[in-house]
Amino acid sequence: MKKRNSWFVENAFFHQALAYGRGYSLLMGHNEIKANSMLAGISWAMDAMPAVIPPDVMIHRHKFRKARERMAVILSADPSPIVGKTPRLTPVIQSRLSRTKISCEEFLELLFTLEEDILASRIHKKIVTTASIYARHYGHTDISREVYAVAAYRIYLDGGMSEKPSLSNYMALNRECFRFYDSQMQPWPSGSDDSFNDAIDLEFDLAILIIDFEGGGKNTLITALNFSTRRAAAHLLRRPIAIHEAGHAIALFSLMPYVPIFRASIHDPFSTSGFVEFSIDHPLSYLDASKNWYTRQIAVFLAGRAAEILAYGPMRTSAGAASDIEKATSTAYSMVAAWGHDTEFAPVCLEVVRDRLGAPTGWIFDEAQKRIYQLLRDSHELAVRVLKENWILVLRLADELVDREILEADELMGILVESGLKEISGSELVIKKPEVRKVSFAISPGDCQTREGPVRYAPGDALVEGAIGEIWPVSRAQFQSTYEAADGQTYWESGLYKTIAQERYALKVGFDRQVQLTRTRGTLFAKEGDWLVDYGQGDIAVVSGELFEQYYEAAPRNTADIAT
């Protein structure tokens, strides 16, 4: 040691630091000077010999002071300097000094690293003790990774990690994982137990990661906690994926009514392999193989990413949209470069132009790229508008996917059915103007072809005749709450009925879409500029913009609302 690191053996300052380190060791009952005792001893030596403090020591003076303060918390007495050969430095420190020539700075860095390991080992023991209490209290045979994580979180909340700022910061930044486990656990037993006599062995895979804390490993405790919180992270990652897939499903449901949805899934969170399964080749889809159809298809492709942006902001979108963007770009390219679907771009096949020129260059290709870019932007904006208007449904579907992972067609339809407009952003409170309508009542079940789509009715439902002779089925319960007899006839007999003035929620349609009625009564089709009117109990009427202005007016504002 003299040959390799004579600066340590011959330096009076470090002799004084060793003397104080021995004092600490004896106070703690140790037979060797550990890193934390040596660091605290250096702090005392700095007070005792201020004139000969090495420069490398001076620049870390605050670290030595903190080590000394930590020792003061453990011990009730200050150390006295003890000159002698025992106790000696730990074998790890002795070996490092004797085998390899290191600088003073490197030696101090070794002490800091070893002290970190000591602190980590101490906190780990606290975690194991707390976790063992829970396991014994509830009859568990081992400490699961979830119990280990929650025990660590409880110790963090109680300030038990304050001596390790890096670990405290880690716990704070990953608190959502720990909170998730904490919410799943039964109530923790009260009281404490510092005895390790009954400590329960950790499950094998966790033990591999957290053994030998004093062996000089880096971030061993954080590695163990990362391992422990993996399942929580997997569950939390389900939510963004569910939002993504719900965005696809809602956009598809609203924008492409002929396309049936078979299944939605968030199968494997760590591989971002969620999907919405549908049949784009449905026969009726070819009735509208137009620019409008393919623009909506692109909007559906981009709706997953749009949902992530609406939920978490543009900086937190995942890489899961890569294939969606690829399909959207390919479709947009075909619309512009082959199908002639861009009215501002000449009907031209760029593949032919490229073959003749030998390379895809020139102003026509530059212009095509601009049109493709604009088409993708317009489709993305359409997806955003659809999702904003149906955000309540996006959240409901995402919740179900998180809980159940896979939803089949009928389960999806149950969630996607309109349940009211009150919670939807942009809805307005209106009152239907008084009007008298001719009404008959259904004797047998059937369906009625309205201007917006077929609607099924049951025996006893009202068949209300509109201003231009159109028929609108109204369920028996809903009719009774919205109409009264107008010409003195017995209620439930055919004749004239007058609408009862009631407040309703209405929403102006910003894009062509479908509306699914409850109780499988049918599907309505609304065009941009139409209004949806919520009559309650699943009755959503579609009213053209012209008729809406004729039959509805804004509800008067409540004076109490005005005052606030």
Side-chain angles (χ1 to χ4, degrees), residues 424-492:
I424 296 181
S425 175
S427 62
E428 303 176 14
L429 202 57
V430 299
I431 294 180
K432 190 172 185 179
K433 299 175 183 178
E435 57 179 352
V436 177
R437 293 296 183 199
K438 185 178 179 180
V439 179
S440 61
F441 294 92
I443 299 175
S444 58
D447 64 358
C448 179
Q449 181 61 49
T450 71
R451 291 189 305 170
E452 294 79 22
V455 179
R456 186 176 61 84
Y457 55 82
D461 285 354
L463 304 177
V464 182
E465 185 175 326
I468 56 176
E470 76 277 12
I471 301 298
W472 176 260
V474 179
S475 68
R476 191 176 182 88
Q478 199 267 326
F479 181 82
Q480 188 172 9
S481 65
T482 54
Y483 286 84
E484 59 185 4
D487 60 357
Q489 86 275 12
T490 303
Y491 208 82
W492 300 119

Side-chain angles (χ1 to χ4, degrees), residues 297-335:
Q297 189 179 113
I298 295 172
V300 172
F301 290 150
L302 299 178
R305 179 177 178 274
E308 291 185 50
I309 292 174
L310 290 174
Y312 306 110
M315 299 303 292
R316 289 189 59 188
T317 55
S318 69
S323 61
D324 299 333
I325 295 172
E326 180 181 354
K327 289 183 287 187
T329 305
S330 176
T331 303
Y333 176 84
S334 296
M335 290 178 66

Side-chain angles (χ1 to χ4, degrees), residues 252-357:
L252 182 65
F253 178 79
S254 299
L255 292 174
M256 305 180 75
Y258 296 127
V259 177
I261 307 175
F262 301 136
R263 184 180 293 108
S265 172
I266 54 168
H267 181 62
D268 184 357
F270 279 109
S271 65
T272 62
S273 61
F275 62 88
V276 174
E277 183 181 347
F278 57 92
S279 175
I280 201 68
D281 295 323
H282 189 275
L284 289 178
S285 67
Y286 294 104
L287 294 175
D288 189 21
S290 61
K291 175 184 178 181
N292 182 57
W293 171 263
Y294 287 109
T295 299
R296 288 162 175 264
Q297 189 179 113
I298 295 172
V300 172
F301 290 150
L302 299 178
R305 179 177 178 274
E308 291 185 50
I309 292 174
L310 290 174
Y312 306 110
M315 299 303 292
R316 289 189 59 188
T317 55
S318 69
S323 61
D324 299 333
I325 295 172
E326 180 181 354
K327 289 183 287 187
T329 305
S330 176
T331 303
Y333 176 84
S334 296
M335 290 178 66
V336 172
W339 300 339
H341 279 164
D342 192 317
T343 56
E344 297 186 27
F345 192 70
V348 61
C349 180
L350 290 185
E351 298 299 325
V352 174
V353 177
R354 184 191 64 182
D355 292 342
R356 295 295 179 89
L357 293 177

Side-chain angles (χ1 to χ4, degrees), residues 537-556:
Q537 301 177 348
D539 271 326
I540 304 289
V542 177
V543 182
S544 69
E546 180 181 349
L547 292 178
F548 183 83
E549 293 181 1
Q550 183 177 347
Y551 295 124
Y552 293 87
E553 60 185 0

Side-chain angles (χ1 to χ4, degrees), residues 22-39:
R22 292 187 186 98
Y24 270 121
S25 298
L26 292 177
L27 285 174
M28 298 183 70
H30 296 160
N31 57 8
E32 57 188 14
I33 305 173
K34 295 187 177 182
N36 54 352
S37 296
M38 187 64 192
L39 290 171

Side-chain angles (χ1 to χ4, degrees), residues 168-459:
S168 294
N169 185 61
Y170 168 88
M171 299 295 295
L173 292 176
N174 292 276
R175 60 188 178 278
E176 292 303 322
C177 290
F178 296 108
R179 286 175 180 173
F180 171 75
Y181 280 152
D182 197 34
S183 66
Q184 304 299 309
M185 294 290 179
Q186 302 177 58
W188 281 66
S190 58
S192 61
D193 182 5
D194 294 331
S195 172
F196 287 87
N197 294 331
D198 298 324
I200 300 174
D201 291 336
L202 299 176
E203 63 178 355
F204 181 70
D205 50 0
L206 183 56
I208 291 175
L209 289 174
I210 59 179
I211 58 173
D212 194 18
F213 268 77
E214 295 188 31
K218 298 291 185 180
N219 300 319
T220 316
L221 182 53
I222 289 180
T223 301
L225 290 171
N226 277 339
F227 179 79
S228 299
T229 56
R230 182 174 176 83
R231 289 175 182 167
H235 184 88
L236 294 175
L237 283 173
R238 293 162 70 95
R239 182 68 180 178
I241 298 172
I243 289 286
H244 181 105
E245 301 306 332
H248 284 308
I250 296 302
L252 182 65
F253 178 79
S254 299
L255 292 174
M256 305 180 75
Y258 296 127
V259 177
I261 307 175
F262 301 136
R263 184 180 293 108
S265 172
I266 54 168
H267 181 62
D268 184 357
F270 279 109
S271 65
T272 62
S273 61
F275 62 88
V276 174
E277 183 181 347
F278 57 92
S279 175
I280 201 68
D281 295 323
H282 189 275
L284 289 178
S285 67
Y286 294 104
L287 294 175
D288 189 21
S290 61
K291 175 184 178 181
N292 182 57
W293 171 263
Y294 287 109
T295 299
R296 288 162 175 264
Q297 189 179 113
I298 295 172
V300 172
F301 290 150
L302 299 178
R305 179 177 178 274
E308 291 185 50
I309 292 174
L310 290 174
Y312 306 110
M315 299 303 292
R316 289 189 59 188
T317 55
S318 69
S323 61
D324 299 333
I325 295 172
E326 180 181 354
K327 289 183 287 187
T329 305
S330 176
T331 303
Y333 176 84
S334 296
M335 290 178 66
V336 172
W339 300 339
H341 279 164
D342 192 317
T343 56
E344 297 186 27
F345 192 70
V348 61
C349 180
L350 290 185
E351 298 299 325
V352 174
V353 177
R354 184 191 64 182
D355 292 342
R356 295 295 179 89
L357 293 177
T361 59
W363 68 269
I364 193 171
F365 291 95
D366 294 339
E367 188 63 26
Q369 291 179 38
K370 293 178 183 178
R371 299 309 307 157
I372 293 169
Y373 171 77
Q374 187 60 47
L375 184 58
L376 291 170
R377 281 186 64 93
D378 292 345
S379 297
H380 179 264
E381 290 173 1
L382 174 60
V384 170
R385 292 203 308 272
V386 171
L387 297 181
K388 282 184 176 179
E389 187 168 304
N390 295 276
W391 192 244
I392 296 298
L393 291 179
V394 173
L395 296 179
R396 287 175 183 166
L397 180 55
D399 289 341
E400 289 294 325
L401 284 172
V402 168
D403 291 340
R404 301 170 60 185
E405 191 173 294
I406 298 176
L407 295 173
E408 301 296 339
D410 289 340
E411 297 169 319
L412 281 167
M413 189 57 65
I415 298 168
L416 296 176
V417 164
E418 293 286 353
S419 57
L421 303 178
K422 181 178 179 180
E423 297 178 334
I424 296 181
S425 175
S427 62
E428 303 176 14
L429 202 57
V430 299
I431 294 180
K432 190 172 185 179
K433 299 175 183 178
E435 57 179 352
V436 177
R437 293 296 183 199
K438 185 178 179 180
V439 179
S440 61
F441 294 92
I443 299 175
S444 58
D447 64 358
C448 179
Q449 181 61 49
T450 71
R451 291 189 305 170
E452 294 79 22
V455 179
R456 186 176 61 84
Y457 55 82

